[in-house]
Amino acid sequence: MTDSKSLGSSSGRSARGRSTPTGRERTSPATFYRQVVAELRKVVWPTQQQLITYFIVVVSFVLFFMAVVSLLDLGFGKAVFALFGHK
């Protein structure tokens, strides 16, 4: 099944003759920059209080799992030494 985009006269090649994934022409860096700025203006940025809360949650989560992994490492290490002994 073909869609309406593939029925056009576009050959799927850019101005330099290289194939593009979607068959569309590449945008200029200036157009790309304008589009990026337009998209960033749509972003809902967190408030300072939300940012502080998220920071505390992430740091707590990382510290908790660091402790869990450290305890598991210590436990498995002691188990291996107890099982195989060391000189």
Side-chain angles (χ1 to χ4, degrees):
M1 183 171 164
T2 59
D3 59 325
S4 61
K5 290 181 184 175
S6 65
L7 295 176
S9 62
S10 175
S11 65
R13 297 204 172 263
S14 66
R16 293 187 181 139
R18 287 182 285 182
S19 178
T20 57
T22 60
R24 294 181 291 171
E25 294 295 320
R26 293 178 60 125
T27 59
S28 69
T31 303
F32 175 76
Y33 178 74
R34 280 194 300 271
Q35 290 174 347
V36 167
V37 170
E39 288 298 319
L40 285 175
R41 289 186 183 169
K42 296 178 189 177
V43 172
V44 179
W45 299 99
T47 63
Q48 184 176 4
Q49 187 58 45
Q50 288 173 325
L51 200 59
I52 291 169
T53 302
Y54 297 156
F55 175 77
I56 291 170
V57 167
V58 168
V59 169
S60 302
F61 182 82
V62 168
L63 290 174
F64 173 76
F65 276 98
M66 279 175 54
V68 168
V69 169
S70 296
L71 290 173
L72 285 172
D73 180 51
L74 180 66
F76 284 123
K78 288 198 180 277
V80 167
F81 277 124
L83 186 62
F84 297 112
H86 62 284
K87 295 181 181 182

